[in-house]
Amino acid sequence: MATITVRDLDDEVRSRLRVRAAENGRSMEAEVRAILEAAVRPSRLERRRAALSRFRSAPDRDDAIDELMAHVPPRNSYPAPRAIDFDP
C-alpha cells in the first residue's frame, strides 16, 4: 500500500473533512481514502463502453454477451407502468 502526504491543506478544508468523516462514521484517513477511491473509479458509462469494446473484439461472443448483459439492469428493477383510465 502506498502513502501520500498532503502539505499546506487549508484549515477550513481539514475542518470540513473532519465533519464529513464523522457524519459517515469514519476516521479522517478512511474518509480521504473513500473520496480518492470514488474520484478515480470509472463511471458507469466508461464501464459500459469498455464492456462493449471487449464484446466487439471478443473471439468467443457467448462469454462476451454474458459480460455485456451484466451491465443491463434486470427487468424487475424498472418501475411498473402507470394505469391509464380511458373511461370519460
Coordinates of all heavy atoms in Angstrom, one line a residue:
M1 N 0.8 -1.2 0.0 CA 0.0 0.0 0.0 C 0.9 1.2 0.0 O 1.9 1.3 0.7 CB -0.9 0.0 1.2 CG -1.9 -1.1 1.3 SD -3.1 -0.8 0.0 CE -4.6 -0.9 0.9
A2 N 0.4 2.2 -0.7 CA 1.2 3.5 -0.8 C 0.7 4.5 0.3 O -0.3 4.4 0.8 CB 0.9 4.1 -2.2
T3 N 1.6 5.4 0.5 CA 1.3 6.5 1.5 C 1.4 7.8 0.7 O 2.4 8.0 0.0 CB 2.3 6.5 2.6 OG1 2.3 5.2 3.3 CG2 2.0 7.5 3.6
I4 N 0.5 8.7 1.0 CA 0.5 10.1 0.4 C 0.5 11.1 1.5 O -0.3 10.9 2.5 CB -0.7 10.3 -0.5 CG1 -0.7 9.3 -1.7 CG2 -0.8 11.7 -1.0 CD1 -1.9 9.4 -2.6
T5 N 1.3 12.1 1.4 CA 1.3 13.2 2.4 C 0.8 14.4 1.7 O 1.2 14.8 0.6 CB 2.7 13.5 2.9 OG1 3.2 12.3 3.5 CG2 2.7 14.6 3.9
V6 N -0.2 15.1 2.3 CA -0.7 16.3 1.7 C -0.3 17.5 2.6 O -0.6 17.6 3.7 CB -2.3 16.3 1.7 CG1 -2.8 17.6 1.1 CG2 -2.8 15.1 0.9
R7 N 0.5 18.4 1.9 CA 1.0 19.5 2.7 C 0.2 20.7 2.4 O -0.5 20.8 1.3 CB 2.5 19.8 2.2 CG 3.4 18.7 2.7 CD 4.9 19.1 2.4 NE 5.8 18.1 2.9 CZ 6.1 17.0 2.3 NH1 5.7 16.7 1.1 NH2 7.0 16.2 2.9
D8 N 0.2 21.7 3.3 CA -0.4 23.0 3.1 C -1.9 22.9 2.9 O -2.5 23.6 2.0 CB 0.2 23.8 1.9 CG 1.7 24.1 2.2 OD1 2.0 24.3 3.4 OD2 2.4 24.1 1.2
L9 N -2.6 22.0 3.6 CA -4.0 21.8 3.5 C -4.7 22.9 4.3 O -4.3 23.1 5.5 CB -4.4 20.4 4.1 CG -5.9 20.0 3.9 CD1 -6.2 19.9 2.4 CD2 -6.1 18.7 4.6
D10 N -5.6 23.6 3.7 CA -6.3 24.7 4.3 C -7.0 24.2 5.6 O -7.6 23.1 5.6 CB -7.3 25.3 3.3 CG -7.9 26.6 3.9 OD1 -7.2 27.6 4.0 OD2 -9.1 26.5 4.2
D11 N -7.0 25.0 6.6 CA -7.7 24.6 7.9 C -9.2 24.4 7.7 O -9.7 23.5 8.3 CB -7.4 25.7 9.0 CG -6.0 25.7 9.5 OD1 -5.3 24.7 9.3 OD2 -5.6 26.8 10.0
E12 N -9.8 25.2 6.8 CA -11.2 25.0 6.6 C -11.5 23.7 5.9 O -12.5 23.0 6.2 CB -11.7 26.2 5.7 CG -13.2 26.1 5.4 CD -14.1 26.2 6.7 OE1 -13.7 26.8 7.7 OE2 -15.2 25.7 6.6
V13 N -10.6 23.3 5.0 CA -10.8 22.0 4.3 C -10.7 20.9 5.3 O -11.5 19.9 5.3 CB -9.8 21.9 3.1 CG1 -9.8 20.5 2.6 CG2 -10.0 22.9 2.1
R14 N -9.7 21.0 6.2 CA -9.5 20.0 7.2 C -10.7 19.9 8.1 O -11.1 18.8 8.4 CB -8.2 20.3 8.0 CG -7.9 19.2 9.0 CD -6.7 19.6 9.9 NE -6.4 18.7 10.9 CZ -7.1 18.6 12.1 NH1 -8.0 19.4 12.4 NH2 -6.8 17.7 13.0
S15 N -11.2 21.0 8.5 CA -12.4 21.0 9.4 C -13.6 20.4 8.7 O -14.3 19.6 9.3 CB -12.7 22.5 9.7 OG -13.8 22.5 10.5
R16 N -13.8 20.7 7.4 CA -15.0 20.1 6.7 C -14.8 18.6 6.5 O -15.7 17.8 6.6 CB -15.2 20.8 5.4 CG -15.9 22.2 5.6 CD -16.2 22.9 4.3 NE -14.9 23.4 3.8 CZ -14.6 23.7 2.6 NH1 -15.5 23.5 1.6 NH2 -13.5 24.2 2.2
L17 N -13.5 18.2 6.3 CA -13.2 16.8 6.1 C -13.5 16.1 7.4 O -14.0 15.0 7.4 CB -11.7 16.7 5.7 CG -11.2 15.2 5.5 CD1 -12.0 14.6 4.4 CD2 -9.8 15.3 5.1
R18 N -13.1 16.7 8.5 CA -13.4 16.0 9.8 C -14.9 15.9 10.1 O -15.3 14.8 10.5 CB -12.8 16.9 11.0 CG -13.0 16.2 12.3 CD -12.8 17.2 13.4 NE -11.4 17.2 13.9 CZ -11.0 18.0 14.8 NH1 -11.8 18.8 15.4 NH2 -9.7 18.0 15.2
V19 N -15.7 16.9 9.8 CA -17.1 16.8 9.9 C -17.7 15.7 9.0 O -18.5 14.9 9.4 CB -17.8 18.2 9.6 CG1 -19.3 18.1 9.6 CG2 -17.4 19.2 10.7
R20 N -17.2 15.7 7.8 CA -17.7 14.7 6.8 C -17.4 13.3 7.3 O -18.2 12.4 7.2 CB -17.1 15.0 5.4 CG -17.6 14.1 4.4 CD -17.1 14.5 3.0 NE -17.2 13.5 2.0 CZ -17.1 13.6 0.7 NH1 -16.8 14.8 0.3 NH2 -17.3 12.6 -0.1
A21 N -16.2 13.1 7.8 CA -15.8 11.8 8.3 C -16.7 11.4 9.4 O -17.1 10.2 9.5 CB -14.3 11.8 8.7
A22 N -16.9 12.3 10.3 CA -17.8 12.0 11.5 C -19.2 11.6 11.0 O -19.8 10.7 11.6 CB -17.8 13.2 12.5
E23 N -19.7 12.4 10.1 CA -21.1 12.1 9.6 C -21.2 10.7 8.9 O -22.2 10.0 9.0 CB -21.5 13.1 8.5 CG -21.8 14.5 9.1 CD -22.0 15.5 8.1 OE1 -21.7 15.3 6.9 OE2 -22.5 16.6 8.4
N24 N -20.1 10.2 8.4 CA -20.0 8.9 7.7 C -19.5 7.8 8.6 O -19.4 6.7 8.2 CB -19.2 9.0 6.4 CG -19.9 9.8 5.4 OD1 -21.1 9.7 5.2 ND2 -19.1 10.6 4.7
G25 N -19.2 8.2 9.9 CA -18.8 7.2 10.9 C -17.4 6.6 10.6 O -17.1 5.5 10.8
R26 N -16.5 7.5 10.0 CA -15.2 7.0 9.6 C -14.1 8.0 10.2 O -14.4 9.1 10.6 CB -15.0 7.1 8.1 CG -15.9 6.1 7.3 CD -15.5 6.1 5.9 NE -16.2 7.0 5.1 CZ -16.8 6.8 4.0 NH1 -16.9 5.5 3.5 NH2 -17.5 7.7 3.3
S27 N -12.9 7.5 10.2 CA -11.8 8.3 10.6 C -11.5 9.3 9.4 O -12.0 9.1 8.3 CB -10.5 7.5 10.9 OG -10.1 6.9 9.7
M28 N -10.8 10.3 9.7 CA -10.4 11.3 8.6 C -9.6 10.5 7.5 O -9.8 10.8 6.3 CB -9.6 12.5 9.1 CG -10.5 13.5 9.8 SD -9.6 14.9 10.5 CE -8.7 15.5 9.1
E29 N -8.8 9.7 7.9 CA -8.0 8.9 6.9 C -8.8 8.0 6.1 O -8.7 8.0 4.8 CB -6.9 8.0 7.7 CG -6.0 7.3 6.8 CD -5.0 6.4 7.5 OE1 -4.7 6.8 8.7 OE2 -4.5 5.4 6.9
A30 N -9.8 7.3 6.7 CA -10.7 6.5 5.9 C -11.6 7.3 5.0 O -11.9 6.9 3.9 CB -11.6 5.7 6.9
E31 N -12.0 8.5 5.4 CA -12.8 9.4 4.6 C -12.0 9.9 3.4 O -12.5 9.9 2.3 CB -13.3 10.6 5.4 CG -14.3 11.5 4.7 CD -15.6 10.8 4.4 OE1 -16.0 9.8 5.1 OE2 -16.3 11.3 3.5
V32 N -10.8 10.3 3.6 CA -9.9 10.7 2.5 C -9.8 9.5 1.5 O -9.8 9.7 0.3 CB -8.6 11.2 2.9 CG1 -7.6 11.4 1.8 CG2 -8.7 12.5 3.7
R33 N -9.6 8.3 2.0 CA -9.4 7.1 1.2 C -10.7 6.9 0.3 O -10.6 6.7 -0.9 CB -9.1 5.9 2.0 CG -8.4 4.8 1.3 CD -7.9 3.7 2.2 NE -8.4 3.6 3.5 CZ -7.7 3.9 4.7 NH1 -6.5 4.4 4.6 NH2 -8.3 3.7 5.8
A34 N -11.8 7.0 1.0 CA -13.1 6.9 0.2 C -13.3 7.9 -0.8 O -13.8 7.6 -1.9 CB -14.3 6.9 1.2
I35 N -12.9 9.2 -0.5 CA -13.1 10.3 -1.5 C -12.2 10.0 -2.7 O -12.6 10.2 -3.9 CB -12.7 11.6 -0.8 CG1 -13.8 12.0 0.2 CG2 -12.6 12.7 -1.9 CD1 -13.4 13.2 1.1
L36 N -10.9 9.6 -2.4 CA -10.0 9.3 -3.5 C -10.4 8.2 -4.4 O -10.3 8.2 -5.6 CB -8.6 9.1 -3.0 CG -7.9 10.3 -2.4 CD1 -6.6 9.9 -1.7 CD2 -7.6 11.4 -3.5
E37 N -10.9 7.1 -3.7 CA -11.4 5.9 -4.5 C -12.5 6.3 -5.4 O -12.6 5.9 -6.5 CB -11.7 4.8 -3.5 CG -10.5 4.1 -2.9 CD -10.9 3.2 -1.8 OE1 -12.1 3.0 -1.5 OE2 -10.0 2.6 -1.2
A38 N -13.5 7.1 -4.9 CA -14.6 7.5 -5.7 C -14.2 8.4 -6.8 O -14.8 8.3 -7.9 CB -15.6 8.2 -4.8
A39 N -13.2 9.2 -6.6 CA -12.8 10.2 -7.6 C -12.1 9.5 -8.8 O -12.3 9.9 -10.0 CB -11.8 11.2 -7.0
V40 N -11.5 8.3 -8.6 CA -10.8 7.7 -9.7 C -11.5 6.4 -10.2 O -11.1 5.8 -11.2 CB -9.3 7.3 -9.3 CG1 -8.5 8.5 -9.0 CG2 -9.3 6.3 -8.2
R41 N -12.7 6.1 -9.6 CA -13.4 4.9 -10.1 C -14.0 5.3 -11.4 O -14.6 6.3 -11.6 CB -14.6 4.7 -9.1 CG -15.4 3.4 -9.4 CD -16.5 3.2 -8.3 NE -15.9 3.2 -7.0 CZ -16.4 3.9 -6.0 NH1 -17.5 4.7 -6.1 NH2 -15.9 3.9 -4.8
P42 N -14.0 4.3 -12.4 CA -14.6 4.6 -13.7 C -16.1 4.8 -13.6 O -16.8 4.2 -12.8 CB -14.3 3.4 -14.5 CG -13.5 2.4 -13.7 CD -13.4 3.0 -12.3
S43 N -16.6 5.7 -14.4 CA -18.1 6.0 -14.3 C -18.8 4.8 -15.0 O -18.2 3.9 -15.6 CB -18.4 7.2 -15.1 OG -18.2 7.0 -16.5
R44 N -20.1 4.7 -14.8 CA -20.9 3.7 -15.3 C -20.8 3.7 -16.9 O -20.7 2.6 -17.5 CB -22.4 3.9 -14.9 CG -23.3 2.7 -15.4 CD -24.7 3.0 -15.1 NE -24.9 3.3 -13.7 CZ -26.1 3.6 -13.2 NH1 -27.2 3.5 -13.9 NH2 -26.2 3.9 -11.9
L45 N -20.8 4.9 -17.4 CA -20.7 5.0 -18.9 C -19.3 4.4 -19.4 O -19.3 3.7 -20.4 CB -20.8 6.4 -19.3 CG -20.7 6.7 -20.8 CD1 -21.8 5.9 -21.6 CD2 -20.8 8.2 -21.1
E46 N -18.3 4.7 -18.7 CA -16.9 4.2 -19.0 C -16.9 2.7 -18.9 O -16.3 2.0 -19.8 CB -15.9 4.8 -18.2 CG -15.6 6.3 -18.4 CD -14.7 6.9 -17.4 OE1 -14.7 6.5 -16.2 OE2 -13.9 7.8 -17.8
R47 N -17.5 2.1 -17.9 CA -17.5 0.7 -17.7 C -18.3 0.0 -18.9 O -18.0 -1.0 -19.4 CB -18.1 0.3 -16.4 CG -17.2 0.6 -15.2 CD -17.7 -0.1 -13.9 NE -19.1 0.2 -13.6 CZ -19.5 1.3 -12.8 NH1 -18.6 2.1 -12.3 NH2 -20.8 1.4 -12.6
R48 N -19.5 0.7 -19.3 CA -20.3 0.1 -20.4 C -19.5 0.2 -21.7 O -19.6 -0.8 -22.5 CB -21.6 0.9 -20.4 CG -22.5 0.5 -19.3 CD -23.8 1.3 -19.4 NE -24.7 0.9 -18.3 CZ -25.8 1.5 -18.1 NH1 -26.3 2.5 -18.9 NH2 -26.6 1.2 -17.1
R49 N -18.9 1.3 -21.9 CA -18.1 1.4 -23.2 C -17.0 0.4 -23.2 O -16.7 -0.2 -24.3 CB -17.5 2.8 -23.3 CG -18.5 3.9 -23.7 CD -17.9 5.2 -23.8 NE -18.8 6.2 -24.3 CZ -18.7 7.5 -24.1 NH1 -17.6 8.0 -23.5 NH2 -19.6 8.3 -24.5
A50 N -16.3 0.2 -22.1 CA -15.2 -0.8 -22.1 C -15.8 -2.2 -22.3 O -15.2 -3.0 -23.1 CB -14.5 -0.8 -20.7
A51 N -17.0 -2.6 -21.8 CA -17.6 -3.9 -22.0 C -18.0 -4.0 -23.4 O -17.8 -5.1 -24.0 CB -18.8 -4.0 -21.0
L52 N -18.5 -3.0 -24.0 CA -18.9 -3.0 -25.4 C -17.7 -3.2 -26.3 O -17.8 -4.0 -27.3 CB -19.7 -1.8 -25.8 CG -20.3 -1.7 -27.2 CD1 -21.2 -2.9 -27.4 CD2 -21.0 -0.4 -27.4
S53 N -16.6 -2.5 -26.0 CA -15.4 -2.7 -26.8 C -14.9 -4.1 -26.7 O -14.5 -4.7 -27.7 CB -14.4 -1.7 -26.3 OG -13.2 -1.9 -27.0
R54 N -14.9 -4.7 -25.5 CA -14.4 -6.1 -25.3 C -15.4 -7.0 -26.1 O -14.9 -8.0 -26.7 CB -14.4 -6.4 -23.9 CG -13.2 -5.8 -23.1 CD -13.0 -6.4 -21.8 NE -14.1 -6.2 -20.9 CZ -14.4 -5.1 -20.2 NH1 -13.5 -4.1 -20.2 NH2 -15.4 -5.0 -19.4
F55 N -16.7 -6.7 -26.1 CA -17.6 -7.6 -26.8 C -17.3 -7.6 -28.3 O -17.3 -8.6 -29.0 CB -19.0 -7.1 -26.6 CG -20.1 -7.8 -27.5 CD1 -20.4 -9.1 -27.3 CD2 -20.6 -7.1 -28.5 CE1 -21.4 -9.7 -28.1 CE2 -21.6 -7.7 -29.3 CZ -21.9 -9.0 -29.1
R56 N -17.1 -6.4 -28.9 CA -16.8 -6.3 -30.3 C -15.6 -7.0 -30.7 O -15.5 -7.4 -31.9 CB -16.7 -4.8 -30.7 CG -18.1 -4.1 -30.6 CD -18.0 -2.7 -31.0 NE -19.3 -2.0 -31.1 CZ -19.5 -0.8 -30.8 NH1 -18.5 0.0 -30.5 NH2 -20.7 -0.3 -30.8
S57 N -14.6 -7.1 -29.9 CA -13.3 -7.7 -30.2 C -13.2 -9.1 -29.7 O -12.1 -9.7 -29.9 CB -12.1 -6.8 -29.8 OG -12.2 -6.8 -28.3
A58 N -14.2 -9.6 -29.1 CA -14.0 -11.0 -28.4 C -14.2 -12.1 -29.5 O -15.1 -12.0 -30.3 CB -15.1 -11.1 -27.4
P59 N -13.3 -13.1 -29.4 CA -13.4 -14.2 -30.4 C -14.6 -15.1 -30.0 O -15.2 -15.7 -30.8 CB -12.1 -14.9 -30.2 CG -11.5 -14.5 -28.9 CD -12.1 -13.1 -28.6
D60 N -14.9 -15.2 -28.7 CA -16.0 -16.0 -28.2 C -17.1 -15.1 -27.7 O -17.1 -14.6 -26.6 CB -15.5 -16.9 -27.0 CG -16.6 -17.9 -26.5 OD1 -17.7 -17.9 -27.2 OD2 -16.4 -18.5 -25.5
R61 N -18.1 -14.9 -28.6 CA -19.1 -13.9 -28.3 C -20.0 -14.3 -27.2 O -20.6 -13.5 -26.5 CB -20.0 -13.7 -29.6 CG -19.2 -13.0 -30.7 CD -19.3 -11.5 -30.4 NE -18.4 -10.7 -31.3 CZ -18.8 -10.0 -32.3 NH1 -20.0 -10.0 -32.7 NH2 -17.9 -9.3 -33.0
D62 N -20.2 -15.6 -26.9 CA -21.1 -16.1 -25.8 C -20.6 -15.5 -24.5 O -21.4 -15.0 -23.7 CB -21.2 -17.6 -25.8 CG -21.9 -18.2 -27.0 OD1 -22.7 -17.4 -27.6 OD2 -21.7 -19.3 -27.3
D63 N -19.3 -15.7 -24.2 CA -18.8 -15.1 -22.9 C -18.9 -13.6 -22.9 O -19.2 -13.0 -21.9 CB -17.4 -15.5 -22.7 CG -17.2 -17.0 -22.4 OD1 -18.2 -17.6 -22.0 OD2 -16.1 -17.6 -22.6
A64 N -18.7 -13.0 -24.0 CA -18.7 -11.5 -24.1 C -20.1 -11.0 -23.9 O -20.4 -10.0 -23.3 CB -18.2 -11.1 -25.5
I65 N -21.1 -11.8 -24.4 CA -22.5 -11.4 -24.2 C -22.9 -11.4 -22.7 O -23.5 -10.5 -22.2 CB -23.5 -12.2 -25.1 CG1 -23.3 -11.9 -26.5 CG2 -24.9 -12.1 -24.6 CD1 -24.1 -12.8 -27.5
D66 N -22.4 -12.5 -22.1 CA -22.7 -12.5 -20.6 C -22.1 -11.4 -19.9 O -22.7 -10.8 -19.0 CB -22.1 -13.9 -20.0 CG -22.9 -15.1 -20.5 OD1 -24.0 -14.9 -21.0 OD2 -22.3 -16.2 -20.5
E67 N -20.9 -11.0 -20.2 CA -20.3 -9.8 -19.6 C -21.0 -8.5 -19.9 O -21.2 -7.7 -19.0 CB -18.8 -9.7 -20.0 CG -18.1 -8.5 -19.4 CD -16.7 -8.2 -19.9 OE1 -16.2 -9.0 -20.7 OE2 -16.2 -7.2 -19.5
L68 N -21.4 -8.4 -21.1 CA -22.1 -7.2 -21.6 C -23.5 -7.1 -20.9 O -23.9 -6.0 -20.4 CB -22.3 -7.2 -23.1 CG -22.8 -5.9 -23.8 CD1 -21.8 -4.8 -23.5 CD2 -22.9 -6.1 -25.2
M69 N -24.2 -8.2 -20.7 CA -25.5 -8.2 -20.1 C -25.4 -8.0 -18.6 O -26.4 -7.6 -18.0 CB -26.2 -9.5 -20.4 CG -26.6 -9.7 -21.9 SD -27.6 -8.3 -22.5 CE -29.1 -8.6 -21.6
A70 N -24.3 -8.2 -18.0 CA -24.1 -7.9 -16.6 C -24.3 -6.4 -16.3 O -24.6 -6.0 -15.2 CB -22.7 -8.3 -16.1
H71 N -24.2 -5.6 -17.3 CA -24.3 -4.1 -17.1 C -25.8 -3.7 -17.4 O -26.1 -2.5 -17.2 CB -23.4 -3.3 -18.1 CG -22.0 -3.6 -17.8 ND1 -21.3 -2.9 -16.7 CD2 -21.1 -4.4 -18.3 CE1 -20.1 -3.4 -16.7 NE2 -19.9 -4.3 -17.6
V72 N -26.7 -4.6 -17.8 CA -28.1 -4.2 -18.0 C -28.9 -4.6 -16.7 O -28.8 -5.7 -16.3 CB -28.6 -5.0 -19.2 CG1 -30.1 -4.7 -19.4 CG2 -27.8 -4.7 -20.5
P73 N -29.6 -3.6 -16.2 CA -30.4 -3.9 -15.0 C -31.5 -4.9 -15.3 O -32.0 -5.0 -16.4 CB -31.0 -2.6 -14.6 CG -30.6 -1.6 -15.7 CD -29.8 -2.2 -16.7
P74 N -31.9 -5.8 -14.3 CA -32.9 -6.7 -14.5 C -34.3 -6.1 -14.8 O -34.5 -4.9 -14.3 CB -32.9 -7.5 -13.2 CG -32.2 -6.7 -12.2 CD -31.3 -5.8 -13.0
R75 N -35.1 -6.7 -15.5 CA -36.4 -6.2 -15.9 C -37.2 -5.7 -14.6 O -37.9 -4.8 -14.7 CB -37.2 -7.1 -16.7 CG -36.7 -7.3 -18.1 CD -37.6 -8.2 -18.8 NE -37.1 -8.4 -20.2 CZ -37.8 -8.5 -21.2 NH1 -39.1 -8.6 -21.1 NH2 -37.2 -8.7 -22.4
N76 N -37.2 -6.5 -13.6 CA -38.0 -6.2 -12.4 C -37.5 -5.0 -11.6 O -38.1 -4.6 -10.7 CB -38.1 -7.4 -11.5 CG -36.8 -7.9 -11.0 OD1 -35.8 -7.4 -11.3 ND2 -36.8 -9.0 -10.3
S77 N -36.4 -4.4 -12.1 CA -35.9 -3.2 -11.4 C -36.5 -1.9 -11.9 O -36.3 -0.9 -11.3 CB -34.3 -3.2 -11.5 OG -33.9 -2.9 -12.8
Y78 N -37.2 -2.0 -13.0 CA -37.8 -0.8 -13.5 C -39.2 -0.6 -12.8 O -39.9 -1.6 -12.5 CB -38.1 -1.0 -15.0 CG -36.8 -1.1 -15.8 CD1 -36.3 -2.3 -16.4 CD2 -36.0 0.1 -16.0 CE1 -35.1 -2.3 -17.1 CE2 -34.8 0.0 -16.7 CZ -34.4 -1.2 -17.3 OH -33.2 -1.3 -17.9
P79 N -39.6 0.6 -12.7 CA -41.0 0.8 -12.0 C -42.1 0.3 -12.9 O -42.0 0.3 -14.2 CB -41.0 2.3 -11.9 CG -40.0 2.9 -12.8 CD -39.0 1.8 -13.0
A80 N -43.2 -0.1 -12.3 CA -44.3 -0.6 -13.0 C -45.0 0.5 -13.8 O -45.0 1.7 -13.3 CB -45.3 -1.3 -12.1
P81 N -45.5 0.3 -15.0 CA -46.2 1.4 -15.7 C -47.4 1.8 -15.0 O -48.1 1.0 -14.3 CB -46.5 0.7 -17.0 CG -46.4 -0.7 -16.9 CD -45.5 -1.0 -15.7
R82 N -47.8 3.1 -15.2 CA -49.0 3.6 -14.5 C -50.2 3.1 -15.3 O -50.2 3.1 -16.5 CB -48.9 5.1 -14.5 CG -47.9 5.7 -13.6 CD -47.9 7.2 -13.6 NE -47.5 7.7 -14.9 CZ -47.7 8.9 -15.4 NH1 -48.3 9.8 -14.6 NH2 -47.3 9.2 -16.6
A83 N -51.3 2.9 -14.6 CA -52.5 2.5 -15.2 C -53.2 3.8 -15.9 O -53.1 4.9 -15.3 CB -53.5 1.9 -14.2
I84 N -53.7 3.6 -17.0 CA -54.4 4.7 -17.7 C -55.8 4.4 -17.8 O -56.2 3.4 -18.3 CB -53.8 5.0 -19.1 CG1 -52.3 5.3 -19.0 CG2 -54.5 6.1 -19.8 CD1 -51.6 5.3 -20.3
D85 N -56.7 5.3 -17.3 CA -58.1 5.1 -17.4 C -58.6 5.9 -18.6 O -58.5 7.1 -18.7 CB -58.7 5.7 -16.1 CG -60.2 5.4 -16.0 OD1 -60.7 4.6 -16.8 OD2 -60.9 6.0 -15.2
F86 N -59.2 5.1 -19.6 CA -59.7 5.7 -20.8 C -61.2 6.0 -20.7 O -61.8 6.6 -21.7 CB -59.5 4.7 -22.0 CG -58.0 4.6 -22.3 CD1 -57.3 3.5 -21.9 CD2 -57.4 5.6 -23.0 CE1 -56.0 3.4 -22.3 CE2 -56.0 5.5 -23.3 CZ -55.3 4.4 -22.9
D87 N -61.9 5.7 -19.6 CA -63.3 6.0 -19.5 C -63.5 7.5 -19.2 O -62.8 8.1 -18.4 CB -63.9 5.2 -18.4 CG -63.9 3.7 -18.7 OD1 -64.0 3.4 -19.9 OD2 -63.9 2.9 -17.7
P88 N -64.5 8.1 -19.9 CA -64.7 9.5 -19.7 C -65.3 9.9 -18.4 O -65.8 9.3 -17.6 CB -65.7 9.9 -20.8 CG -66.3 8.7 -21.4 CD -65.4 7.5 -20.9

